[in-house]
Amino acid sequence: MKLLVTGGAGFIGSNFIRYMLKHHDDVEIVVLDKLTYAGNLDNHRGLEQDARYRFVRGDICDSETVEPLAADCQAIVNFAAETHVDRSLLEPGAFITTDVYGTYILLEAARRFQVPTFIQISTDEVYGSVETGSSVESDVLEPRSPYSASKAGAEMMVRAYHVSYGVPVIITRGSNNFGPYQYPEKLISLFSTNALDDEPLPIYGDGMNVRDWIYVEDHCSAIDFLLTHGKPGETYNVGGGNERTNLEVTKLILRYLNKPESLIQYISDRPGHDRRYSMSCSKLQSLGWRPEHGFEESLEQTVCWYRENEGWWRKIKSGEFADYYRRNYAGRQLDESP
Ligand code: NAD
Ligand code: DAU
């Protein structure tokens, strides 16, 4: 099977490529990635020698680049996106361009070349904040940040291409992923690397916001599973079943690194900060998929990976990251804990 994996140089995409090459001898993977600040060929170290892997640098918004790659693939798996909520609050434009328009360009290519499967990697954030209960796939979408709105927009276009043109699409809504090769702007990768440097861990608001965490390898196994078991036109929630407050996650990171809780620093809240995400995953589980990795063990392994792969994240943190960090965090420190 030949797969076109867009956004494959990012966190989940690169883990997905490793997962597929490891579990399927007959898979061939073409990666299309623009290499934005979040794309990183260091995430592919060791893969270059594999004859089943090819990398193309390019933009999913550019149909001339996309079409020849789509023409002879059996599936497109679209990971390419702007993905960080805080950056979407600072500069939303790129989110609309890549996440919505870029997805449209891929769908057009899938339609034109009759690609047998199109998987859109979406997010639980499209449901908006879920104060009680758990979201099911048929719930109304109520995105609340420019990021989640752009992902919901992409989903609408994906669904429209199925209804209007019969493109065989599948949408996955993943919860918060963690694991190796995550750009150190997200909670777990940022806090692990800050703690290793004895830098403050900036918690937004009261630290009681809840996320459902999934180990990245479980997310990858779900996508692989859906490539063969998913039904065209359907949407599937993909969660880990590990709802934790940010404060709980932060304290575990500090414990695994043997660092003091005095590194925790409360800062002003993220605007529009969704309080809780929670999904029911019974639709996917009824097909036979289950997450295999426990939260605490995988978190400890992940934190150790950042400790043992300092070279990987130091290179990132010394570049564009420093400017972003200043823009997002400067002047937000609270005088008293909430
Ligand atoms: P990431 O930010 O680590 O990687 C995104 C990748 O997309 C990068 O390699 C980047 O270079 C590439 N890219 C961006 N714009 C592009 C363009 N115009 N053309 C081609 N490539 C482009 O993201 P991630 O965390 O790996 O997320 C991957 C996908 O999974 C995204 O669609 C995201 O919305 C979704 N998702 C992420 C999570 C999570 O917790 N990280 C959870 C659910 C869903
Ligand atoms: O839920 C899936 C989504 O998870 C994905 O679709 C997104 O691409 C991904 O970025 C992630 O979004 P979140 O906003 O939930 O992830 P983030 O790691 O940015 O934040 C997790 C929680 O931690 C959230 O409640 C905000 C909080 N946080 C985050 C950072 C970066 C802090 O308190 N301080 C921080 O510095």
Side-chain angles (χ1 to χ4, degrees), residues 83 123-125 147 176 186-187 202 204 211 270 273 329:
T83 64
T123 167
D124 59 1
E125 300 206 9
Y147 163 67
N176 280 62
K186 307 287 189 334
L187 181 79
Y204 299 153
R211 296 292 182 266
R270 172 188 275 176
H273 195 176
Y329 292 96

Side-chain angles (χ1 to χ4, degrees), residues 231-251:
K231 189 166 165 239
E234 294 293 324
T235 298
Y236 299 91
N237 289 344
V238 184
N242 303 300
E243 288 182 35
R244 300 286 187 280
T245 65
N246 294 334
L247 195 56
E248 285 173 311
V249 174
T250 305
K251 287 183 176 175

